[in-house]
Amino acid sequence: MTPGARVFALLMLLCACTPKPGEQTVTYLDLDCAKPFKDQVAAIVAQPQLVPAGTVGSEPYSYYSSADGHTSYLITRPGSPAHPAIMIQRAHNGVTTTGCAYGSRKGYDELLAYLESLKTWTRKAGIKK
C-alpha cells in the first residue's frame, strides 16, 4: 500500500468518530460535477473545520478530512492518471465513495477501484510473537 493510500485509509478510520454531546454537526459539501474542477476545489478547501492532510511524498493527490472524520476528499494533482478528478468518501453505515472525473475516465475508474479495495484491506501476518 502506498504512503498516500495509508493516509487516506487512516483518515477514513477516523470516520468512526461521533460528535460529542453539545457539539454542532457541520455539513460538508457534496460534489457538483457540473462545476469546473478549479472552482470545486476552491469551494472544498474553503470549508470550515476541514483538516488538510496535505500531500504525501510524491503522490499526486491532496487529502482533506472533516474534523469529525465522516467526510474525506481526495483531489488529484498533475501526475495522477486520473487528473483532474475529485473523490469524496462519506462514512455512514459503511463508507461510500463517489467523485467527479474531469479527465481520463479510465484513470478515474482505476482510482475509484483502488479506493474501494482499501475498504477490505487488512494487514497480513508478519508479526512475530
Side-chain angles (χ1 to χ4, degrees):
M1 179 182 293
T2 65
R6 284 188 211 116
V7 169
F8 200 66
L10 177 61
L11 290 174
M12 291 315 301
L13 285 176
L14 296 175
C15 292
C17 301
T18 56
K20 295 176 184 149
E23 281 186 353
Q24 185 178 14
T25 302
V26 178
T27 303
Y28 291 90
L29 294 176
D30 284 324
L31 298 183
D32 179 356
C33 298
K35 284 185 178 178
F37 175 77
K38 288 183 180 183
D39 293 346
Q40 186 146 228
V41 169
I44 288 168
V45 300
Q47 295 178 94
Q49 298 185 23
L50 193 65
V51 180
T55 57
V56 179
S58 62
E59 292 226 353
Y61 312 105
S62 295
Y63 305 94
Y64 299 85
S65 187
S66 61
D68 67 4
H70 292 137
T71 305
S72 293
Y73 300 92
L74 178 149
I75 301 171
T76 63
R77 294 186 291 121
S80 165
H83 186 71
I86 302 170
M87 301 287 210
I88 183 172
Q89 287 192 319
R90 292 192 184 268
H92 180 72
N93 296 327
V95 177
T96 57
T97 306
T98 57
C100 300
Y102 294 95
S104 165
R105 186 64 197 199
K106 181 182 179 201
Y108 172 87
D109 289 343
E110 289 173 358
L111 179 58
L112 179 60
Y114 175 67
L115 292 176
E116 290 294 314
S117 76
L118 294 177
K119 293 178 186 178
T120 58
W121 181 83
T122 58
R123 185 174 299 261
K124 299 286 182 188
I127 300 171
K128 295 182 181 181
K129 292 183 179 183

